[in-house]
Amino acid sequence: MNTEPDSARAHADGLARGIDPDAFGHDGLGADIARAAEVPGSPQLEAGCVRNAYEAIAAAGERADALDDATFVSLRSGARAAADAARVADEIGAGAGEALRAAARAWYPYAVEGEDRSWRAALGAFGEMCESGAAADQALLVRAVEAAGAAVIHDDTATGLAVHAFSGELKRRTSLGEDLSTAWAGAVRHTGEVASDSVFQTVVEAVEVVLDR
């Protein structure tokens, strides 16, 4: 007497005839998997977006009350140079990664005395991360900001503390699933509360406006 369950016998009979009963319905499952794979990942950045961000930073520096303050003079000059570099990258059809690197390098010479080591370290780490060749998407921007924060982890200047606080909060929020615009806005608020630096705050607030567009 055969004590195998009907389903087991049917499976064995099917296999003997070259039929895999488990295959039935796999087309539907495959379609579901394919649709899931089509869900967009991190949005791609464009050189034009990088250009807009640096132009917004330069404009914010122009509107600052402390027009003669050395740090804001540095901000305006550095941001203009970075915006010009990003504009050229955009006009020649370069990608966002190239625009980010060019803009970071263009800002280097304008770092104000006393804060120059902080800005150079942060911008250098930011640019190096963008050199990685990874897809130029929003995730790359978060990693680049994280690298900038790590570069100034032992820097106790106002700029160093602000960069580190911002990068840590941005990473925390994006790790929790917040989109870049929301996470950026939250990191701006957090930094303003725990490690406010007028120049750095001007920079990240200007970028926030661009991300919200």
Side-chain angles (χ1 to χ4, degrees):
M1 179 178 176
N2 192 338
T3 59
E4 288 181 294
D6 289 343
S7 59
R9 286 200 303 273
H11 190 279
D13 291 341
L15 289 175
R17 299 198 312 272
I19 301 171
D20 181 2
D22 288 339
F24 295 115
H26 279 199
D27 287 346
L29 176 61
D32 289 342
I33 293 173
R35 281 193 294 271
E38 292 173 0
V39 174
S42 184
Q44 294 294 303
L45 296 172
E46 298 178 350
C49 180
V50 178
R51 171 184 179 176
N52 291 340
Y54 280 103
E55 287 176 345
I57 294 170
E62 295 287 354
R63 294 192 299 269
D65 293 334
L67 293 179
D68 296 328
D69 186 284
T71 55
F72 277 94
V73 171
S74 168
L75 167 63
R76 290 191 296 275
S77 300
R80 283 197 209 100
D84 286 342
R87 174 182 55 77
V88 172
D90 186 22
E91 290 176 350
I92 65 174
E98 289 82 355
L100 286 166
R101 290 193 294 274
R105 287 194 299 265
W107 196 317
Y108 287 165
Y110 298 95
V112 69
E113 185 178 358
E115 298 286 351
D116 58 336
R117 291 177 63 184
S118 305
W119 279 107
R120 284 177 181 273
L123 286 169
F126 184 95
E128 286 174 11
M129 178 57 67
C130 295
E131 291 276 11
S132 65
D137 57 11
Q138 293 185 359
L140 174 63
L141 182 57
V142 173
R143 291 196 303 272
V145 172
E146 180 185 357
V152 296
I153 191 170
H154 299 300
D155 186 338
D156 60 0
T157 64
T159 298
L161 294 173
V163 174
H164 184 59
F166 180 85
S167 65
E169 184 68 2
L170 183 67
K171 180 183 179 182
R172 185 185 75 81
R173 287 175 171 274
T174 53
S175 296
L176 292 174
E178 290 186 1
D179 62 83
L180 180 61
S181 179
T182 302
W184 193 281
V188 169
R189 292 192 301 272
H190 172 78
T191 306
E193 294 168 358
V194 305
S196 183
D197 173 74
S198 57
V199 173
F200 183 76
Q201 201 72 13
T202 298
V203 169
V204 292
E205 287 176 357
V207 176
E208 180 184 351
V209 174
V210 175
L211 292 177
D212 280 339
R213 290 176 184 170

